[in-house]
Amino acid sequence: MIPSQLLVSATFLVFCFLKVSSSATFTAAVYEHAVILPNVTLTPVSSEEALALMNRNLDLLEAAIISAAKQGAQIIVTPEDGIYGMIFTRTSIYSYLEDIPDPQVNWIPCDNPNRFGLAPVQRRLSCLAKGNAIYVVANIGDKKPCNTSDPQCPPDGRYQYNTNVVFDSQGKLVARYHKRHLFMNEDQFDTPKEAEVVTFDTAFGKFGIFTCFDVLFHDPAVMLVKDSHVDTVLFPTAWMNVLPHLSAVEFHSAWAMGMGVNFLASNLHNPLLRMTGSGIYAPDSPRKFHYDMETQEGKLLVSQLDSHPYRPEVNWTSYASSIEAFSVRNQEFKGTVFYDEYIFVELKGITGNYTVCQKDLCCHLSYQMSEKRSDEVYALGAFDGLHTAEGQYYLQVCTLLKCKTTNVQSCGDSVDTAATRFEMFSLSGTFGTQYVFPEVLLSEVQLAPREFQVMSDGRLQSLQPTSRPLLTVTLFGRFYDRDGLRDASIDLGAHALRGLVMVLMPILYALCW
Ligand SMILES: *[C@@H]1O[C@H](CO)[C@@H](O)[C@H](O)[C@H]1NC(C)=O
Ligand SMILES: *[C@@H]1O[C@H](CO)[C@@H](O)[C@H](O)[C@H]1NC(C)=O
Ligand SMILES: *[C@@H]1O[C@H](CO)[C@@H](O)[C@H](O)[C@H]1NC(C)=O
Ligand SMILES: *[C@@H]1O[C@H](CO)[C@@H](O)[C@H](O)[C@H]1NC(C)=O
């Protein structure tokens, strides 16, 4: 972590020069990396074998970094688990780990590689950053010895952390972030005692960083935006897509828009594990995104962004709580979305107005379809409750979605193609939270840049007919205050599931490594 006082003390003058030359825009790159997985992950390998595998991945990252720099990128983000893969035990990951010091030590590994013990991976990343004069963001593993003077020290005498590192364009380590919200089967790593709020300043804005599953929680993700006022979030991830609401490009672009920040999301590429979906997202619109379930190839995205994006104020409940419910003459029914029980109504006509409520949340929709097909059913749903599968988090969600089949029992099931375009939609809800992420997803998991907007009164509205058939229009609200304390019985359930996840990983609804 770089505390701000560091920047205003010793480096005050340098910082002033940076400020003077600070730029209005910058060029960012994210790399969706088809990680080479080790053949053996559950039994330990030697440090030499571990390093050989990591170097094979670094060779691919190197090519992406060089290409990004040639295209003028000032920063590149690479994915979580992009250097050694995933699904390890505490013991088997150990040979992949390096001691990663606090960035305050002021270290350029490329110039002084052995200052903190063997660190070949940090050295190589630092040299790639320095040699190409580009900020490099990567995800590696940190090890920190501990002993009985610390009652929380694990029995094997060390902490192991899922860690993001950032090297600046001189190769200096400027940020280290230990993932706070480990996903359910990340047994190889420890959770840091507190959420780390890690930021650093550049001539092109203030940056914050977190990892994968962290994006669903308040600390540190929301703190970075609300308290530290970062402009751009760096987001290495290993994200398994879950439709209808948590496909990578869909949710990450919505987070950028809902929070009013740039968001650089770099995912692993592994279609078998449903891992694809990276992007460069600005608050007003996605700039570049990539979703590819067909090829096995990695993909580099490069785009320009505003250094200090405009952050509009939205009152997410203002419109919805100011209008009468549209008359509900309609048959309501229950449907399940990613283990949550929603209340739905079917959209019967080519055009219409509907309201559906659950607990405190009422969702209003006005819409017009291009045609009312007999082979497709759309529904409006509301959910106000605690999600408990693969993590515990309170949601308030208003969603217009395509049902998988014409049987309304299928509403909420994953479906990735559709045939119905919408001429117009306007969705709003009586949210009790100010954290709402607006999602619009089109057929074949495509985003809809500049086809919709969020009004300051909280309406999510189309600006034009959809350019493709529609999968979903959703206001995905997170009610952090209601997450409550973790329930021991849920922890136990998650533990029992872990073994299963390892075996059945590709077919389970897992989210995030
Ligand atoms: C895994 O084993 C196969 C077959 O022996 C070999 O071709 C491949 O290079 C190995 N992969 C790694 C990452 O070592
Ligand atoms: C235990 O760890 C602390 C800090 O990590 C260190 O200062 C101390 O010397 C260690 N004690 C022993 C007995 O190893
Ligand atoms: C949002 O709008 C509602 C209804 O107009 C109002 O009651 C509420 O105070 C507003 N919330 C904020 C945070 O301004
Ligand atoms: C839906 O509501 C809008 C505005 O309240 C109204 O203009 C429109 O006629 C309504 N549409 C239908 C199909 O009822």
Side-chain angles (χ1 to χ4, degrees):
M1 189 180 340
I2 302 277
S4 50
Q5 61 268 37
L6 192 74
L7 288 162
V8 296
S9 57
T11 55
F12 181 73
L13 286 174
V14 176
F15 187 59
C16 283
F17 286 128
L18 289 178
K19 270 292 184 199
V20 167
S21 65
S22 76
S23 39
T25 63
F26 71 106
T27 304
V30 306
Y31 183 56
E32 180 160 309
H33 172 47
V35 63
I36 301 167
L37 298 169
N39 282 333
V40 176
T41 62
L42 297 180
T43 53
V45 299
S46 68
S47 309
E48 291 73 25
E49 282 175 89
L51 184 57
L53 183 274
M54 292 194 284
N55 273 323
R56 288 178 62 187
N57 279 302
L58 283 162
D59 291 344
L60 297 174
L61 299 186
E62 174 169 353
I65 291 165
I66 290 170
S67 172
K70 279 198 180 128
Q71 293 175 60
Q74 288 148 286
I75 186 164
I76 180 169
V77 186
T78 65
E80 182 188 25
D81 300 334
I83 293 179
Y84 44 64
M86 56 261 164
I87 319 169
F88 293 93
T89 67
R90 277 189 77 81
T91 314
S92 68
I93 192 79
Y94 185 68
S95 36
Y96 295 86
L97 307 181
E98 293 183 359
D99 200 329
I100 306 167
D102 187 315
Q104 288 189 60
V105 298
N106 203 1
W107 181 39
I108 300 177
C110 191
D111 296 347
N112 192 355
N114 297 322
R115 184 172 156 202
F116 301 100
L118 276 183
V121 175
Q122 289 171 89
R123 175 193 198 169
R124 192 161 172 196
L125 289 168
S126 165
C127 291
L128 287 172
K130 183 178 176 178
N132 296 286
I134 183 174
Y135 280 74
V136 170
V137 182
N139 175 268
I140 55 180
D142 190 7
K143 58 179 177 189
K144 287 283 169 283
C146 55
N147 58 35
T148 46
S149 66
D150 171 3
Q152 277 151 45
C153 181
D156 54 13
R158 58 188 186 247
Y159 291 105
Q160 303 185 160
Y161 298 113
N162 177 330
T163 310
N164 296 335
V165 287
V166 183
F167 298 93
D168 74 7
S169 49
Q170 269 100 54
K172 186 168 90 176
L173 179 69
V174 293
R176 176 191 70 179
Y177 169 72
H178 296 137
K179 185 180 183 182
R180 170 67 171 171
H181 297 279
L182 297 173
F183 195 57
M184 50 193 294
N185 56 340
E186 270 188 290
D187 281 346
Q188 70 270 37
F189 291 122
D190 298 300
T191 300
K193 287 176 184 127
E194 284 172 7
E196 300 172 359
V197 181
V198 176
T199 67
F200 60 95
D201 286 287
T202 72
F204 43 97
K206 184 169 185 178
F207 287 73
I209 190 163
F210 54 85
T211 312
C212 208
F213 203 35
D214 287 332
V215 73
L216 278 159
F217 299 92
H218 189 276
D219 298 353
V222 175
M223 297 165 77
L224 285 167
V225 179
K226 293 289 159 181
D227 306 335
S228 303
H229 306 287
V230 300
D231 299 298
T232 300
V233 166
L234 305 168
F235 185 67
T237 189
W239 190 280
M240 296 177 82
N241 293 317
V242 181
L243 288 172
H245 298 145
L246 290 171
S247 193
V249 294
E250 173 189 32
F251 187 60
H252 304 156
S253 62
W255 206 89
M257 187 176 265
M259 298 303 291
V261 289
N262 296 322
F263 196 85
L264 308 183
S266 165
N267 200 359
L268 287 182
H269 186 76
N270 189 327
L272 193 66
L273 301 181
R274 299 194 322 275
M275 287 177 178
T276 177
S278 302
I280 298 175
Y281 309 116
D284 59 342
S285 169
R287 294 297 154 85
K288 284 274 172 66
F289 70 97
H290 178 70
Y291 176 89
D292 165 27
M293 286 292 281
E294 307 300 321
T295 82
Q296 302 301 319
E297 311 302 315
K299 174 82 177 177
L300 178 67
L301 304 177
V302 180
S303 177
Q304 206 169 66
L305 285 168
D306 293 335
S307 301
H308 307 285
Y310 174 62
R311 204 166 290 171
E313 283 295 315
V314 176
N315 182 328
W316 290 102
T317 196
S318 173
Y319 178 80
S321 43
S322 73
I323 63 165
E324 296 286 309
F326 297 124
S327 65
V328 190
R329 277 169 266 112
N330 313 284
Q331 192 85 50
E332 291 183 347
F333 60 95
K334 288 177 180 166
T336 305
V337 180
F338 194 25
Y339 303 104
D340 297 326
E341 194 174 79
Y342 281 55
I343 305 285
F344 281 110
V345 290
E346 182 183 341
L347 308 187
K348 299 276 194 187
I350 189 168
T351 178
N353 299 310
Y354 286 87
T355 296
V356 65
C357 303
Q358 187 179 77
K359 294 190 204 157
D360 294 338
L361 179 68
C362 284
C363 305
H364 308 301
L365 173 71
S366 298
Y367 73 93
Q368 186 181 349
M369 299 174 186
S370 302
E371 55 172 335
K372 181 73 187 87
R373 299 174 62 102
S374 56
D375 62 350
E376 279 194 328
V377 166
Y378 284 82
L380 172 67
F383 178 72
D384 184 355
L386 185 66
H387 174 91
T388 59
E390 298 177 1
Q392 179 170 308
Y393 41 90
Y394 199 102
L395 300 177
Q396 287 191 325
V397 181
C398 290
T399 186
L400 154 63
L401 52 72
K402 183 201 144 157
C403 303
K404 184 170 186 179
T405 69
T406 53
N407 180 345
V408 294
Q409 292 309 308
S410 74
C411 298
D413 291 354
S414 294
V415 57
D416 60 9
T417 58
T420 304
R421 289 166 201 263
F422 277 63
E423 292 294 308
M424 181 281 281
F425 58 78
S426 174
L427 179 67
S428 62
T430 56
F431 292 96
T433 173
Q434 52 174 316
Y435 300 103
V436 178
F437 310 115
E439 305 184 326
V440 175
L441 196 64
L442 305 181
S443 189
E444 297 173 311
V445 194
Q446 297 298 300
L447 298 178
R450 307 198 188 281
E451 293 181 31
F452 64 96
Q453 66 182 353
V454 171
M455 312 291 286
S456 58
D457 64 10
R459 276 176 291 173
L460 170 53
Q461 281 193 337
S462 56
L463 287 166
Q464 60 176 78
T466 59
S467 59
R468 285 168 173 253
L470 185 73
L471 288 178
T472 183
V473 173
T474 299
L475 290 166
F476 189 94
R478 272 290 282 115
F479 211 134
Y480 301 108
D481 295 346
R482 292 191 184 171
D483 287 355
L485 296 170
R486 283 187 70 84
D487 177 340
S489 65
I490 288 168
D491 271 345
L492 278 179
H495 215 277
L497 259 174
R498 276 184 187 123
L500 254 182
V501 168
M502 293 214 176
V503 180
L504 299 176
M505 192 168 55
I507 57 170
L508 269 187
Y509 271 128
L511 243 197
C512 202
W513 249 257

